[in-house]
Amino acid sequence: MTPAARLQAAIELLDAIVASAADNGPAADTIIADWFRKRRYAGSGDRRAVRELVYRAIRGFGDPPESGRAAMAGLADGDPDLAAAFDGSGYGPAALTPEEPRAIPKAMPDWLGGLIDGAEHAALLERAPLDLRANRLKTTRDAMLAAFPGASAFGTNCVRLDPPITIENRPEHRDGLIEVQDAGSQLAVAACRATAGMVVVDLCAGGGGKTLALAADMAGKGRLIACDTDRTRLSKLSPRAARAGAVVEDRLLDGERETAMLADLDGAADVVLVDAPCSGCGTLRRNPEARWRLSPERLDRVLAVQRHVLALAAPVVRPGGALVYAVCSLIDAEGAGQAANFLAAHPDWTAEPPFAEGCARGPGRILSPSHDATDGFFVARLVRPC
């Protein structure tokens, strides 16, 4: 593909990604993969170059651009080589005209930028490293550091690869020795302080990334229950657990009967992890298009879900046990605000520092890309009285 053809491909992909974001459709990675699956003529260099152009635009514009062409035109104003690719050739885009619209680069939508510390804006749009969790049910971190030349140790059990590589076909991944998991996410699990013999509930387990980390902390001993209301997400857990050598009970919750379906666990759990649905703005390094999918209205809906899940979790915690609340967000309303509201509604509960890393924020601590080189996470450890 010529530079002009690559640019035209990026424009078409951006049009599809913007439309999908507006309709809450497939993510950018899925759209890009499908696009190239239907165009086998594009070589690996073409795919890499087009993808880089697309993500350069996604990272460059906080608001969804009017069109893919407007986005690339906005970038071309400061890039002579990109401007030259608007050459009107057979497979390329028409030449630029002075009067056509150009997207204006900005880090964040105004409404979202006002909710996140300005010091984090640039860091949230940097490329993230690849963090791996060594599965202690099968291996050690030192062994995984040796398996990945150039990797570095990060945190207590994290192997960091920067720049990232593709690991899906590596034997270490295939055999369950490693799992992809951001160091901040690993710290959220560490805040649970799960040990062998405990009863642990992962209330919003999703595909089970944190569940498997809990299983390793429990050394395969005790009872670990993974719950979710989404059958598709939860269905991914069983094969992952088998690969990791973990024993996990999964429980699909009916959204209208959640309380009744958890009644047998009332007051039984040593730890309940609430990795709550959230805006995901703490993961913008990995998913920059999330800015295009967020809105004040969607944030309000997410806040309501978080309150509901916290209320659902509290009765499951045994006296003296802990509720660990985690959100991959840097918005205080989702993190410190929710934890503070919970404590106000449960005045006999107390907050313990979940870990030493990060910065104190209300009843918990917050991790961020600029301060901790992790995704953005708020974590609180809330203890029920004996």
Side-chain angles (χ1 to χ4, degrees), residues 188 191-193 199-201 203-204 269-276 306-326 338-339 342-343 346 349-354 363-364 378-385:
C192 295
R193 301 170 198 166
V199 176
V200 179
V201 178
L203 196 58
C204 306
D270 296 285
V271 181
V272 176
L273 172 60
V274 175
D275 178 24
Q306 291 165 354
R307 292 190 293 268
H308 168 72
V309 177
L310 279 167
L312 190 67
V316 180
V317 180
R318 68 162 176 81
L323 189 165
V324 174
Y325 175 70
Q338 293 285 31
F342 178 90
L343 290 173
H346 300 79
W349 289 56
T350 57
E352 294 180 348
F378 172 84
V379 183
R381 182 178 167 89
L382 310 172
V383 180
R384 184 175 182 176

Side-chain angles (χ1 to χ4, degrees), residues 59 120-129 284-286 288 369-370:
R59 293 179 190 279
E120 298 294 339
H121 290 188
L124 278 168
L125 295 177
E126 295 174 355
R127 293 191 177 189
L284 289 179
R285 299 185 306 169
R286 305 177 194 281
S370 69

Side-chain angles (χ1 to χ4, degrees), residues 16 30 39 132 200 259 262 312-313 328 348 365 385:
T30 300
R39 294 163 176 83
L132 306 175
V200 179
T259 300
L262 293 169
L312 190 67
C328 49
D348 50 345
R365 296 188 74 81

Side-chain angles (χ1 to χ4, degrees), residues 156-384:
T156 58
N157 200 44
C158 180
V159 174
R160 173 161 287 185
L161 300 175
D162 197 3
I165 64 170
T166 300
I167 67 155
E168 283 74 12
N169 295 322
R170 290 282 301 242
E172 297 85 359
H173 184 265
R174 185 185 62 242
D175 297 339
L177 277 64
I178 54 170
E179 292 286 342
V180 176
Q181 187 173 34
D182 177 75
S185 177
Q186 295 185 42
L187 277 170
V189 173
C192 295
R193 301 170 198 166
T195 58
M198 280 187 171
V199 176
V200 179
V201 178
D202 186 353
L203 196 58
C204 306
K210 292 182 178 67
T211 309
L212 297 182
L214 288 167
D217 288 345
M218 296 169 69
K221 300 175 182 178
R223 188 180 180 196
L224 177 56
I225 305 105
C227 307
D228 206 273
T229 59
D230 188 303
R231 184 183 301 275
T232 300
R233 286 199 302 262
L234 196 60
S235 68
K236 298 176 183 178
L237 175 55
S238 181
R240 292 182 69 187
R243 187 184 69 205
V247 178
V248 181
E249 300 176 36
D250 58 64
R251 186 176 297 198
L252 181 67
L253 300 180
D254 183 330
E256 296 181 355
R257 298 177 54 249
E258 291 169 317
T259 300
M261 296 177 77
L262 293 169
D264 64 308
L265 297 172
D266 276 2
D270 296 285
V271 181
V272 176
L273 172 60
V274 175
D275 178 24
C278 66
S279 67
C281 66
T283 63
L284 289 179
R285 299 185 306 169
R286 305 177 194 281
N287 304 296
E289 65 169 307
R291 296 169 298 162
W292 297 357
R293 294 173 179 265
L294 284 174
S295 67
E297 295 75 21
R298 183 181 175 195
L299 179 60
D300 286 343
R301 292 193 295 271
V302 166
L303 292 172
V305 172
Q306 291 165 354
R307 292 190 293 268
H308 168 72
V309 177
L310 279 167
L312 190 67
V316 180
V317 180
R318 68 162 176 81
L323 189 165
V324 174
Y325 175 70
V327 283
C328 49
S329 173
L330 295 174
I331 298 175
D332 279 339
E334 296 187 85
Q338 293 285 31
N341 290 339
F342 178 90
L343 290 173
H346 300 79
D348 50 345
W349 289 56
T350 57
E352 294 180 348
F355 39 68
E357 293 83 353
C359 299
R361 185 66 62 92
R365 296 188 74 81
I366 197 162
L367 304 164
S368 72
S370 69
H371 186 271
D372 305 287
T374 68
D375 286 348
F377 271 92
F378 172 84
V379 183
R381 182 178 167 89
L382 310 172
V383 180
R384 184 175 182 176

Side-chain angles (χ1 to χ4, degrees), residues 39-92:
R39 294 163 176 83
R40 298 292 185 182
Y41 57 82
S44 60
D46 297 320
R47 293 194 296 272
R48 183 170 55 252
V50 171
R51 181 182 173 85
E52 287 176 355
L53 278 174
V54 169
Y55 273 95
R56 181 179 166 191
I58 292 174
R59 293 179 190 279
F61 303 105
D63 294 309
E66 178 181 323
S67 66
R69 181 178 173 89
M72 299 313 298
L75 295 178
D77 280 344
D79 185 334
D81 290 336
L82 192 58
F86 283 89
D87 62 4
S89 59
Y91 295 102

